[in-house]
Amino acid sequence: SVDYYGGATVLEADDLPFDNDEANGVTLGNYIVGKWISSNPFEKDAKGDLTEGARLLRHEYGHYIQSQRNGPAYLSKYGIPSALGAQWTESDAQYRSDQYFSQRGSAPLFQYSYSSDYKPINEKWWEYGILTVGAGPIWGSVIVAALNLSKGR
C-alpha cells in the first residue's frame, strides 16, 4: 500500500530484499519503505501501546529528516554507513525522530539509544565539496562514506 506522512511517501511492502530480523525498513529521499509499516506514527494496539508499524515509521522518519537536512550527501553520509552496520547512523535517526515527535506532543520513544547530551550530526560544507567538485559524485560518495565510517561516531 502507498500512503503519505509529513512530506514522506510511505510504502508498505510484503517482500524486501534485505528481509531479516534487524532491518524492516529503508529510507531514500522522500520514500520510506517498510515491511508492516504504518503510515500513522500514533497508531496504537489494543493495549494502548504504539504498534510495531508506528515504531518503524518513527525510526524511518528520523532517516527522512536526515535526508532532508543533508540532501545529496545523505546516501554517502548515512545510507551507506547504515547499510554497513554503523550504529551511530541509527542513534542519530532515533534522536531526530524523538525531537520531531516530541514537538508534536509525543513522548520520546528511542531515548535509550543516545545520551542525554547528544548533539545531532550536522552537514559539513566539505562533504558537498567532495561530492560535487573534488572527486565527483561516485568517488565523492565513497570518500564521504569512508570518512564518516572512520569516525566511529
Side-chain angles (χ1 to χ4, degrees):
S1 69
V2 178
D3 214 333
Y4 305 93
Y5 177 78
T9 302
V10 181
L11 299 113
E12 183 180 15
D14 292 334
D15 290 323
L16 298 173
F18 50 83
D19 189 16
N20 62 47
D21 291 337
E22 294 180 30
N24 287 313
V26 65
T27 299
L28 188 58
N30 292 342
Y31 295 92
I32 298 174
V33 182
K35 188 171 186 177
W36 304 306
I37 195 166
S38 173
S39 60
N40 177 359
F42 305 102
E43 181 179 72
K44 304 231 175 178
D45 62 18
K47 292 190 272 185
D49 298 325
L50 282 175
T51 64
E52 287 301 313
R55 294 175 66 84
L56 177 58
L57 174 61
R58 286 189 181 203
H59 172 80
E60 291 302 325
Y61 200 80
H63 288 299
Y64 167 77
I65 295 168
Q66 290 171 332
S67 177
Q68 296 302 298
R69 288 285 314 233
N70 289 271
Y74 169 76
L75 191 58
S76 55
K77 185 170 184 170
Y78 295 99
I80 294 170
S82 177
L84 295 174
Q87 188 55 42
W88 59 266
T89 62
E90 304 308 306
S91 294
D92 187 74
Q94 291 174 333
Y95 173 83
R96 291 174 190 269
S97 171
D98 277 353
Q99 294 302 303
Y100 178 86
F101 288 105
S102 291
Q103 293 172 358
R104 282 144 187 84
S106 184
L109 188 59
F110 303 111
Q111 69 258 13
Y112 63 86
S113 70
Y114 54 86
S115 63
S116 60
D117 61 346
Y118 183 83
K119 302 282 187 263
I121 302 162
N122 293 316
E123 59 280 355
K124 309 285 189 296
W125 66 268
W126 56 264
E127 293 169 330
Y128 298 104
I130 290 172
L131 287 170
T132 58
V133 187
I138 294 173
W139 282 109
S141 292
V142 171
I143 292 168
V144 170
L147 289 171
N148 279 297
L149 279 170
S150 69
K151 291 178 191 175
R153 299 311 265 158

